[in-house]
Amino acid sequence: MQQNSFPKKFLWGGAVAAHQIEGAYLEDGKGLSIADVVTAGGNGIAREITEGVLPDRYYPNHEAIDFYHRYKEDIQLLKELGIKVFRTSIAWSRIFPKGDEEQPNEAGLAYYDALFDELRANGIEPIITLSHFEIPYHLAEAYGGFRNKKLIDFFVHYAETVMTRYKDKVKYWMTFNEINNQADGQHELHTWTNSALRFEEGENKEEITFQAGLNELIASAKAVKLGHEINSDFQIGCMMAYVPVYPYTSRPEDLMASLKVMQRRFFYSDIHARGILPGYVLKYWEKMEYQIDYSEDELQALKEGTVDYIGFSYYMSGTVTTVEELQGYPIADFPQAKMLNNPYVSASDWGWQIDPVGLRYTLNLIYERYNLPLFIVENGFGAYDQLTKDGKIEDGYRIDYLRKHIQEMKAAVLEDGIELLGYTPWGIIDIVSFGSGEMEKRYGMIYVDKDNQGNGSLKRLKKDSFNWYQQVIRSNGETI
Ligand code: P53
């Protein structure tokens, strides 16, 4: 009989990031992080990066959902939900407040000891991202972020410190969250949050972002190698944002454009997984006369620190065309083409195109490319929720999104033979949106009473999707 549930070891879970949940932004010796100087934006309104923390501005990450103090209560809800793994990040500036210290902050280390112990005592295994948009602010100010090679050593020292400290408490790690978000070098929020970069007038953003990205890949590879020495059971992955970009028409040039746009994102996982600089990017640097600095030793480090699995986020897909008559949005790193909305899929209120089949396609695409186990470490539906008078959140639209994605993921595992470690939907509890800084772009199965202005009791409530996901996990994906 054909199997209708997931493999027994499949890791059902939920995902968040420290800066989007913890709050307590200066508590117990924590230093400012790059997320602490980003103001709230809105749907279609960009967040602003300020010079330090300004007294008259609102920074939603400073308090977030106060998980720092409420984690015990939240873990009880997660236990009830039935998740086996919980993906979060360590806030780097809790451990090294400025980033360049020799000695770590013991209070910060002790906090994560307590958090991981509490999770494990409740049957939930932590999965840890080392750098999820939380680089210590001082490293941006004093060193210019990851354009500076010194950050490689600071990151490796941080990684070694926490991997050693938590070697018996954490098995699954990821180095840099969505490292490829910055690919085109043009998006201010992404180059800031990925690499702590600021640019001077006249600088070539793309060239500097390539340098910063390569420095991160070197830092990541060194951390992977060290991690395996610290505990040979560690599973250390990369973390990529996968947004498959389809050719809009069957015009051969559109297919080629889609390939080229994808290569620029694959650049990061190609290095993470294969340990070599791909030919397409070396040729591009040559053509653009970019001076990217790397040594023989660093190339060797890339080879020695390839990842154990590919962790990735999947939310949406896109399309691209070269047909002149078609109207679209420009692509910064591929001016010959433009992006268009896909007429065959719908979109969220934030314009993210909903495409469950694209998840199955992506799983196949990445698995064929690297032959490594995969881990869907983010997937979810950002939406406005209504709290009914009797305290319910009827989020059938979220269930619909997740159900369709899980169905496609199931087909990838049961029909296509993809080796998939697990699934941790994003923002399992409502959190501050990364892109917009809103509280009301909600992903959670647990509602948090707080609005975009920061008002609310912070009370937690179960949504309809909570009960639904609980059943999915209980049946190991047989009942979706
Ligand atoms: P928000 C772009 C494309 C895919 C995922 O995003 C992205 C982004 C960046 O906006 O980010 C990831 O909160 C990221 C999370 C983030 C989540 O997706 O803008 O890893 O930190 O919260 C959802 O709706």
Side-chain angles (χ1 to χ4, degrees), residues 16-17 19-20 87 132-133 177-178 181 189-190 239 241-243 313-316 350 352 378 382 426 431-438 441 443:
V16 293
H19 73 284
Q20 289 169 275
R87 172 182 176 231
H132 194 133
F133 310 158
N177 185 64
E178 290 192 339
N181 262 354
L189 184 62
H190 289 162
M239 199 311 199
Y242 275 110
V243 180
S313 67
Y314 179 85
Y315 292 91
M316 58 188 153
W350 281 260
W352 292 25
E378 285 185 31
W426 179 249
I431 59 179
V432 177
S433 154
F434 160 66
S436 70
E438 292 162 289
K441 186 182 186 188
Y443 285 87

Side-chain angles (χ1 to χ4, degrees), residues 380-407:
F381 190 54
Y384 295 107
D385 288 337
Q386 293 300 329
L387 184 60
T388 64
K389 277 197 210 78
D390 48 350
K392 288 200 178 124
I393 303 97
E394 293 161 350
D395 59 340
Y397 38 88
R398 183 168 294 109
I399 296 175
D400 188 57
Y401 177 100
L402 293 167
R403 173 184 285 134
K404 287 181 174 145
H405 283 78
I406 294 175
Q407 272 161 351

Side-chain angles (χ1 to χ4, degrees), residues 149 206-211 214 285 290-294:
K149 292 261 177 206
E206 188 179 65
E207 182 176 16
I208 291 166
T209 307
F210 266 124
Q211 181 69 62
L214 184 61
W285 292 347
Y290 287 166
Q291 303 298 316
I292 307 294
D293 176 16
Y294 54 90

